[in-house]
Every structure is written in structure tokens, then in C-alpha cells.
Amino acid sequence: MRIDSVRVTPFVIPLVRPVVWATGSMTVVDWLLVEVVGEDGTTGIAEAIPRPMIYGETQRSIHTALTEYLVPLVVGEDSFALERIHRRMAALAGNFAAKSALDIALHDLNGKLTGLPIHALLGGPVRTEVDCAWMIALDDRDSMLAELEQKIGEGFRAFKVKGGLDPEGDIALLTAMRERSGSDVRLYLDANCRYDRDAAHRVMHALRDVLDQIEEPIDAGDDEGRVELARAVPTVPLLGDETVFTVADVARQIRLGGLRRISLKMPRTGYTLSRRIVHLSEAAGLRLQVSTQSETTLGTAGCLHLAASFHAVGLPCELTFYRDVADGLLTAEPTVRAGRMAVPTGPGLGVQLDPDKVAKYAVPL
């Protein structure tokens, strides 16, 4: 199918509550809706998620990258020619979110054209429901403990806990969380690269019988420190995020040998690059999970298809951020029961835009 046009619509939706982590905070999602239109009018959709403090992309920069650089490169191409499209998009350096949104929207378009869900295009599904990891953002200790207990009561059995600003406080908090949760509950800490080496060693040693993994405890550029940590506390696997933005990053970390687990983030690698990361990691014996980049319901649908498509993506996945967003652009929310999310079965992403909500939340730039 020839790509006829691409529509890019910035939107803003408030959060139910502020979300805080060690290196930033949010009160709204200010993302972009990307719609790739085939010559027969069939349309694939995705959202592009800026992260200025991580990738250097903003809502405005993504809009510019798409409308002025990338869209002219892909219009007229065959929607199934993904290798050629990615090689063409490589003419613009970086801009992970802009490129990934196009990739996801193209998969949605192709799924609709073939009548197949995206997970079938990727070779799945290997699972029809995905175990969810609930993220607990930074807050006061009592609130974080209360949130853990509430979500355990709702059936969640995996929790990502934000930390990094107070190593001793993180030790005390995670220890208390372990005391309040059963042996079937997975706990992991995300320090967002804020510990120095000494603090990371203290935290990992103190929590070696508490944590199922730890995400990016030290600076992303400290490769020697990461390998040293992995060897010093082998019972706590290191989960890569800021260290594994690209396929090349993953290959490099595999050679270094510090990481044992990899975060996949759809807004930076889409499906095409995520598939390469999955196969590379699987060959090296690394386990994977789909991690959140603060998706709305639309982005969550894209993550679900990836999580359903590969055996190696077997860790609980961070799929529930949309619950902190006051609304979404879709006609329906995901189905979650006892901490497990059902994978859509309709063509493409298996979801539908609500045009009234798109109009309500669209903003000019």
C-alpha cells in the first residue's frame, strides 16, 4: 500500500496526579498523535512521546522532525517496505520518538490492510494476557507503602519503585515493602542513574534478598562501575534502560557483560528496532520487559502487542501508566484483571480513535 499522507496532531491531557521520579516530574502528557494514511484511505495510528530530559525531544521538535523531515521521506513509499523506510529515516540523526511513532503507525496500517493484529505480524502471540508491573512514583513513605498494599489487593504481583535520591531511605522503604508483600510479589527499584558507585553498592548489598532486579543504579556512562556492581552483587540483576536506547547500545552492553535484563520502550524503538533488540538479547541469554514511557491508552495498546509476541519478553511489563492520565484518545481502555492485561485481537493495534476526544485535547503549536 502506497503511503499517501501523514497527519500529526499535538495533544495535551492532564494527569490525575503529579508523577515524580528522581530526575523529573509530570503534571500533563503533551504528546502527538500520528496518523499514516494509505492511498485507499486506511489509516494507521500511534502516539509520539517526547522526553526532553532523556532523549532531547520535545513536542515541538517532534512535530518539526515529522512534518519537515521524515514525512517527506516516507510519503509515496510502500507501507510494507519497513527496511527501506528505516534506512530513509536514518538520514535524520536521533529523533527516536518521531521515527518510532511512524513505525508503530505503519504496523497498525499494515495490520488493518491484512486483517491481522500486530502481534500476528510479529510472529505471535505467545501469550494472550500480559503480567503487569505497577509503577510506584516518588512520594512520602506512607503513601508509597499504602499504594503497594492497595495494588496487591487488586491482584498486581510486580512493582517498580522509583528511588535514587536517598539511598538509605530507599533501603528502608524497599525493606518495608518486602515485609508487607508475599514471596510471590516481585519488587524492583529504579534509581534513574542517581546513585554514585558507593551508594549503589550499599543499596544492592542491603537489598540483595529483597530486590528481584535494580534498574540503572549509576550513571549511564559508567560502564566499569556497572560491571563491577554486577560482579559484586550477582543475586540482583541489573536492568538496562538509559544504557540501551538503541540496538547498538544493547550490543555494546552485551559485550561488556554488566546487564542481565533489558527494557524495551516502544516510543524509542517501535516494532522494527524492538524486534532486533529482542533477538539480540535472546541470543545473549538476557531477559526482557516492556517498560513505560508514560503511554496513554493508545501507546499502551502498542506495548501490549510487543509484549505478546516474543517468549523472551517474559518479565512483567509496565503497562498501567495510562491510569494516571485523566483521559485518552481511544473509545475504550485496556482490560485488566488480577494484574494481567488482555491483548487486543482486532486488526492492527485492535483499538479505535474517538474523534471527539482527539478534537477535545488537540492543541496548536
Side-chain angles (χ1 to χ4, degrees), residues 107-362:
H107 277 79
D108 183 40
L109 171 62
N110 292 340
K112 290 171 179 173
L113 291 171
T114 59
L116 296 171
I118 290 175
H119 58 68
L121 296 179
L122 297 176
V126 299
R127 54 187 68 90
T128 58
E129 291 184 321
V130 177
D131 289 322
C132 296
W134 183 270
M135 186 186 79
I136 300 179
L138 285 173
D139 205 336
D140 64 84
R141 172 192 168 93
D142 289 343
S143 296
M144 295 175 78
L145 288 170
E147 185 172 353
L148 171 76
E149 292 176 343
Q150 177 189 346
K151 296 306 172 183
I152 289 176
E154 293 178 13
F156 289 91
R157 289 296 179 269
F159 294 88
K160 170 180 182 155
V161 182
K162 287 292 190 177
L165 298 180
D166 176 9
E168 306 310 319
D170 292 342
I171 292 170
L173 174 64
L174 269 296
T175 300
M177 285 183 165
R178 176 51 70 199
E179 292 170 352
R180 287 164 171 77
S181 55
S183 59
D184 63 331
V185 172
R186 299 170 56 85
L187 297 174
Y188 61 104
L189 176 64
D190 179 11
N192 285 116
C193 305
R194 291 300 297 268
Y195 298 145
D196 60 27
R197 288 192 189 185
D198 289 342
H201 277 274
R202 289 200 310 276
V203 170
M204 289 178 64
H205 277 286
L207 298 177
R208 61 188 179 278
D209 297 321
V210 170
L211 295 178
D212 290 278
Q213 59 189 20
I214 188 167
E215 181 175 342
E216 300 293 13
I218 59 176
D219 186 87
D222 188 1
D223 291 328
E224 290 183 357
R226 192 170 300 103
V227 173
E228 180 184 290
L229 279 172
R231 292 172 177 169
V233 194
T235 57
V236 182
L238 296 181
L239 170 67
D241 179 7
E242 285 91 344
T243 51
V244 288
F245 285 174
T246 67
V247 180
D249 289 338
V250 175
R252 181 169 176 273
Q253 292 301 328
I254 288 172
R255 289 195 300 272
L256 291 168
L259 299 182
R260 282 167 44 201
R261 297 179 179 176
I262 301 293
S263 280
L264 292 166
K265 290 198 170 177
M266 287 290 288
R268 70 185 178 211
T269 49
Y271 290 113
T272 300
L273 301 184
S274 291
R275 172 187 264 175
R276 296 174 187 173
I277 289 172
V278 170
H279 292 317
L280 188 62
S281 301
E282 187 174 28
L286 276 60
R287 302 177 70 190
L288 303 99
Q289 66 183 63
V290 176
S291 296
T292 187
Q293 198 68 79
S294 308
E295 292 82 6
T296 70
T297 50
L298 173 54
T300 300
C303 293
L304 265 171
H305 284 276
L306 181 64
S309 298
F310 302 97
H311 287 288
V313 189
L315 296 170
C317 295
E318 299 165 8
L319 302 170
T320 60
F321 184 89
Y322 72 91
R323 290 191 174 186
D324 282 323
V325 186
D327 203 351
L329 303 182
L330 302 182
T331 57
E333 290 193 351
T335 301
V336 183
R337 295 187 182 91
R340 295 173 65 83
M341 190 175 292
V343 180
T345 57
L349 288 169
V351 298
Q352 291 185 328
L353 281 179
D354 183 328
D356 292 334
K357 290 185 177 182
V358 174
K360 177 180 179 179
Y361 296 112

Side-chain angles (χ1 to χ4, degrees), residues 85-105:
I85 287 171
H86 271 271
R87 289 186 73 85
R88 297 206 73 187
M89 290 196 298
L92 178 65
N95 290 279
F96 303 135
K99 294 173 182 177
S100 296
L102 281 174
D103 180 86
I104 295 165

